[in-house]
Amino acid sequence: MIKKERVAVEENLKGGKGTVEVHHFLEKEELMGHGTLYARVIVKPHSSIGWHQHVGNTEPYAIIKGEGTFIDNDGSKTTVHAGDICLIEVGQWHSIENNTDEDMEMIALILNETAK
């Protein structure tokens, strides 16, 4: 089977600023209870995904294009580039910002702590 990704344009995602495009590879139902998101995420210039917590799930981000600022659970800020992986563990908080004039792209996968 071949399918097309579904694109959702989100404004102020998780309380962030600006625009984020979520290009869904699989829908929640297609992850068969193992997760809730598998997508290419494009954080538009001067936009962000707001500070939020992962309860009952984990989320690795794989940065594939551009540059951003990852804000980790302890509030530390790290500049991330293509090839960097940001890992958010169960129960942790995080956010990510794109303070540049170019798109920042990443692959995001939200996995449940236990299959549902």
Side-chain angles (χ1 to χ4, degrees):
M1 171 175 70
I2 304 296
K3 64 177 263 182
K4 300 286 186 191
E5 64 186 13
R6 177 179 62 86
V7 180
V9 177
E10 305 282 349
E11 297 295 330
N12 310 109
L13 186 61
K14 303 285 187 187
K17 62 182 181 183
T19 304
V20 175
E21 293 178 6
V22 182
H23 296 248
H24 294 270
F25 297 141
L26 295 176
E27 300 298 329
K28 180 179 178 179
E29 301 76 30
E30 294 170 308
L31 290 165
M32 301 179 291
H34 296 282
T36 57
L37 178 81
Y38 179 38
R40 178 171 58 107
V41 178
I42 302 172
V43 182
K44 303 307 269 183
H46 306 285
S47 296
S48 65
I49 298 172
W51 184 250
H52 64 283
Q53 185 180 30
H54 281 265
V55 177
N57 58 41
T58 181
E59 181 179 27
Y61 287 158
I63 309 302
I64 59 173
K65 178 183 174 189
E67 178 181 299
T69 302
F70 178 74
I71 299 93
D72 210 339
N73 188 62
D74 63 1
S76 62
K77 295 183 177 187
T78 304
T79 301
V80 293
H81 306 88
D84 291 336
I85 309 296
C86 307
L87 180 59
I88 299 89
E89 296 177 357
V90 175
Q92 290 187 334
W93 292 78
H94 74 106
S95 64
I96 196 160
E97 302 171 345
N98 177 2
N99 296 310
T100 74
D101 294 328
E102 304 292 328
D103 288 351
M104 184 196 68
E105 296 188 28
M106 60 189 177
I107 303 297
L109 176 63
I110 298 177
L111 295 169
N112 294 327
E113 185 173 18
T114 57
K116 299 191 184 227

